[in-house]
Amino acid sequence: GAGVSQSPSNKVTEKGKDVELRCDPISGHTALYWYRQSLGQGLEFLIYFQGNSAPDKSGLPSDRFSAERTGGSVSTLTIQRTQQEDSAVYLCASSLGRGGGKNIQYFGAGTRLSVL
Amino acid sequence: SQKIEQNSEALNIQEGKTATLTCNYTNYSPAYLQWYRQDPGRGPVFLLLIRENEKEKRKERLKVTFDTTLKQSLFHITASQPADSATYLCALDGEDSSYKLIFGSGTRLLVRP
């Protein structure tokens, strides 16, 4: 089947605008992750959804960031009142679930966000 | 808090040689460790997983070791090829057992023809 799909692939916005980034995980994967990657940097964990459990939001950098996952599948990451420091690549990943090999993560190609 | 360290300097080697990348961690005892490859403009791709009770894992030209005493994993690519040039990331399961992965910042490998 298809891999993890993210849209849009690129997003240019003006400072202060809201943006929505979408992630379609692999069918059947119960876990979904959002990461942020700045140029030349590693992956910064943002949020983690596992099945019907409450999401782990511990990585969200501010209350301008939120995410939801509808029907246990598609997820949307919303950034309100964007700032220039929000410019980065936002990566989504999904996995079969928890524990051992089930936590192997499959990544989308990312959304490159540029805030002018 | 837990820390993962990978060499931030690029590793530059000649084609045909063995590349060895290092992942060190502190303040945690992960149950397993994963290695991913990331090419420019793309998301990471899973390569290998090794469990805490495994000392070594192999897949084709790739070999991973896991030393829980030294708190270190080594990632080897034998008979390296220019197509192996990429950034390699190690990842550990999080200390809160939520199974989110904590990624290192990656090491860039350049294989010269």
Side-chain angles (χ1 to χ4, degrees):
Chain A
V4 176
S5 177
Q6 291 189 246
S7 60
S9 55
N10 283 283
K11 177 71 176 178
V12 180
T13 190
E14 293 179 351
K15 178 182 172 182
K17 300 281 191 182
D18 297 352
V19 295
E20 282 190 354
L21 312 180
R22 178 186 167 103
C23 174
D24 275 288
I26 293 173
S27 177
H29 281 193
T30 63
L32 186 147
Y33 312 76
W34 283 97
Y35 297 90
R36 180 169 68 176
Q37 188 173 36
S38 301
L39 189 62
Q41 301 298 308
L43 275 66
E44 176 189 2
F45 167 79
L46 297 178
I47 188 168
Y48 161 56
F49 295 90
Q50 172 61 55
N52 295 321
S53 303
D56 177 348
K57 305 179 182 180
S58 60
L60 294 179
S62 77
D63 58 8
R64 296 187 296 105
F65 288 72
S66 63
E68 62 178 24
R69 188 178 185 192
T70 54
S73 181
V74 171
S75 177
T76 302
L77 176 69
T78 302
I79 309 174
Q80 296 178 311
R81 305 181 301 282
T82 52
Q83 304 294 313
Q84 288 182 331
E85 61 262 28
D86 299 335
S87 297
V89 175
Y90 289 82
L91 289 162
C92 174
S94 69
S95 69
L96 278 171
R98 302 171 60 158
K102 290 184 179 179
N103 201 21
I104 293 170
Q105 295 187 17
Y106 297 83
F107 285 82
T111 294
R112 182 175 297 278
L113 176 65
S114 300
V115 182
L116 304 179
Chain B
S1 63
Q2 56 194 167
K3 286 182 64 175
I4 303 172
E5 293 183 351
Q6 293 186 258
N7 195 339
S8 58
E9 289 188 19
L11 178 63
N12 197 324
I13 65 168
Q14 185 73 42
E15 180 176 11
K17 301 292 186 184
T18 295
T20 299
L21 307 177
T22 304
C23 176
N24 295 299
Y25 58 94
T26 58
N27 298 332
Y28 188 54
S29 297
Y32 55 93
L33 182 150
Q34 301 182 25
W35 282 89
Y36 288 76
R37 167 183 173 144
Q38 186 174 24
D39 291 283
R42 313 191 85 156
V45 175
F46 170 76
L47 296 174
L48 280 168
L49 176 151
I50 187 166
R51 292 179 169 78
E52 61 178 338
N53 60 352
E54 297 176 315
K55 292 208 181 300
E56 183 179 295
K57 192 73 119 7
R58 293 177 184 261
K59 178 183 176 182
E60 298 172 352
R61 294 184 296 112
L62 309 181
K63 184 178 84 171
V64 171
T65 63
F66 195 6
D67 189 325
T68 55
T69 301
L70 292 178
K71 294 188 181 294
Q72 179 181 79
S73 175
L74 298 179
F75 177 82
H76 306 272
I77 306 175
T78 58
S80 60
Q81 304 167 1
D84 295 327
S85 299
T87 296
Y88 292 85
L89 305 162
C90 69
L92 310 177
D93 58 328
E95 64 182 349
D96 59 359
S97 298
S98 64
Y99 301 108
K100 68 188 182 195
L101 292 179
I102 307 300
F103 281 84
S105 56
T107 298
R108 189 168 168 223
L109 172 65
L110 300 171
V111 182
R112 303 188 310 274

